[in-house]
Amino acid sequence: MISLHDILADAASGRMPQQGAGPTIVPQPSRRDAGVIAFTAHHVIFADLDQAWIRSRLPAGDLSAPLNPPFLRELEARMERRVNNIDMLALAGPCADRPLIDLVEVMDDAHPRVQRARRYRDDVRVWTCPGGVLIIGRGVAGRWEVAIEVDPAGQGRGLGRALARAARHLTGHPLWAQIAPGNAASVRAFLAAGYVPIGAEALLVADSPR
């Protein structure tokens, strides 16, 4: 059986799911991770639910239904979880050499940034610089994910773009970014740093992710 890890690995290599052939329904890669990913004209639903029940909630021929509120509300009720957000999903390959921005890695496991990141990711590493934070860890289906935070005083100066770009120099793996579409500054920063939109994603979050 194909897994979400397989689908994401194919996407990272440029092999997208076949348009119009979905939805593809796969098991959750972990107890923590459940949700829906929308690629172009193809949705992937990863939830430990009966496939017949899932398909019965999707109107035939409606390619947008899996990421629309009526279906997501059904998933929330059935799984007793909540949709965290509907994010843009972007991807970038690794870069050689050192980052162009000076970063200091946080080595304290009790640091609040580290603790928060570990609720949703494994193998978390956190770096800081004046006005910003960079987080890399293994998230959904073990993929490598990046998140950045820029203090209000540091916004509008290109720091977000520099942090997003720096992340590509800190790992040899493709990097996935989940970006709230309404956060236009973050969208611009990741696009300017070379990340390419792949699709959209809604994660179903439990009160206790693990």
Side-chain angles (χ1 to χ4, degrees), residues 184-210:
S186 185
V187 172
R188 290 194 298 267
F190 276 96
L191 295 181
Y195 292 74
V196 176
I198 295 295
E201 178 177 81
L203 295 181
L204 289 150
V205 179
D207 289 335
S208 178
R210 294 182 185 279

Side-chain angles (χ1 to χ4, degrees), residues 24-98:
T24 297
I25 303 171
V26 296
Q28 290 174 218
S30 69
R31 186 176 67 176
R32 177 187 63 196
D33 299 323
V36 180
I37 297 176
F39 296 97
T40 301
H42 191 124
H43 288 75
V44 178
I45 301 167
F46 47 108
D48 290 340
L49 295 173
D50 179 66
Q51 289 202 18
W53 181 89
I54 292 175
R55 295 187 186 279
S56 73
R57 266 57 184 177
L58 296 171
D62 187 348
L63 292 178
S64 64
L67 209 61
N68 280 345
F71 179 67
L72 293 178
R73 283 197 297 268
E74 294 259 22
L75 284 183
E76 285 181 320
R78 186 80 169 193
M79 302 186 75
E80 298 182 340
R81 293 178 174 228
R82 58 181 174 81
V83 172
N84 193 32
N85 198 19
I86 299 179
D87 290 321
M88 183 179 87
L89 200 57
L91 178 69
C95 294
D97 303 322
R98 293 175 55 84

Side-chain angles (χ1 to χ4, degrees), residues 5 30 32-33 117-125 135-146 171 173-176 178 210:
H5 178 272
S30 69
R32 177 187 63 196
D33 299 323
R118 283 182 173 170
R119 292 191 64 206
Y120 304 103
R121 298 181 177 97
D122 302 310
D123 301 326
V124 170
R125 297 179 69 186
I135 301 164
I136 295 176
R138 295 177 70 89
V140 175
R143 71 188 181 196
W144 288 94
E145 299 175 352
V146 55
T171 177
H173 307 279
L175 274 176
W176 297 80
Q178 302 144 298
R210 294 182 185 279

